[in-house]
Amino acid sequence: MSLYYVQKFLYELNRDPDLQAAYMADRRDVLRPYEVTEEEADALIGPDIGLLFHLGVNGQILMHFAALHQIEWADYLALMRDGVARHGPVREGVYAMTGYEGVDARRSRSESDEGA
Amino acid sequence: MPLVYAGVCSHAPGITGRADQADPEVRDRFYAAFDGMRADIEESGAEALVVIAAEHFANFFMDNMPTFAIGMADFYDGPIEDPGWLAIDRFRAPGNRDLSRRIITEVMQTVDVSYAEEWRFDHGIAVPLHFVTPRFDLPIIPVNINCQGPPLTPLPRAWALGEALRRAADSVPERIAVIGTGGISHWPATPDSGKINEEWDREFLDRWCRNDHDALVDYDDLGIYADAGQGGFEIRTFVAVSAAAGGASGTVAFYAPIPIFAVGCTIASYDLA
């Protein structure tokens, strides 16, 4: 999976009205420059907000993608809940929080300091 | 001139975008506190407003993520979001390229920062400005701390940034005000949106008002995430303002959880006198 490129596409889409128009005209074609998997592409084309959240897309990026699709706020929250229910916990990114490298490194350093 | 104002406020997009869904009584008291912040800044005679923000992938992305960035432009457009979604019309806020350059140059003596000659404000700055400088007549110097895409800067570095900004503000002839906007606890734009840890918020604000450096930098991100959500990472902006206040003590003008705004809505300031 390639969460970075999924988020990069959404970041650029959120910023660029021309890309938004191109996306609306041909959702698959605009994804060609991005290194995304079939699963990710299908989620971006659907759109499948719940799957994108499960894949780890940051809500600060995802909420604007939902708004682009005219999805109301309460529905956006429900779609994310549904995605977690369907697919399981968030796989990657800040919400996975099994501890990203920075926190783990800091915690382990802190514990070893306490031990010493 | 010595810094003339230091405060903090919330910036959640729901504050404007979902205004009609909030309890009107609480919402209006919050808006009144924002009005008080505006009056205080006007009364301070501020000639420029430094806004320490935590933007949300509007200008900065993981291809080249600056830990700290300061704007250096004569104008800033916003909001980058759909104006209807945010309920804030498109605006052009004034900057001051020359003043930014002098501030950045001084900050760089102790803290490495990136600069940006182009910057489109998202809700993180647009919402505060909507209340604090609604006529967009006060030059803005935007400062960003990456609070969204880990790894994030440690809290003592956010403190160091605030100290450097204070030194820089004091070094220029202009009267400078500074506000930080962020957190406190919240889980924005996630299935937990609307969850607010009031007890955690009040403990944090107590540390903030005491300007207790050791207590303010004592949080770690795993604990913040567990207790205050990923939105809690934005306390970096509040911590930087504490450092900029140079030991002053603070007062909370308003705090109340407003779930539809997805944050414990906060207005607070330091007594710099």
Side-chain angles (χ1 to χ4, degrees), chain A residues 39 43 48-56 79 83 86-87 91:
Chain A
E39 179 188 41
D48 188 334
I49 299 294
L51 179 54
L52 290 169
F53 184 72
H54 164 75
L55 292 173
L79 286 168
R86 275 190 293 137
H87 303 292
R91 283 192 213 167

Side-chain angles (χ1 to χ4, degrees), chain A residues 52-104:
Chain A
L52 290 169
F53 184 72
H54 164 75
L55 292 173
V57 174
N58 192 298
Q60 298 288 356
I61 294 173
L62 190 57
M63 69 177 172
H64 300 304
F65 184 60
L68 178 70
H69 286 285
Q70 311 292 322
I71 295 168
E72 293 296 326
W73 183 251
D75 296 332
Y76 162 66
L77 301 183
L79 286 168
M80 286 188 293
R81 291 188 192 104
D82 176 59
V84 172
R86 275 190 293 137
H87 303 292
V90 175
R91 283 192 213 167
E92 200 185 337
V94 69
Y95 309 124
M97 271 325 247
T98 46
Y100 48 84
E101 190 181 340
V103 164
D104 277 351

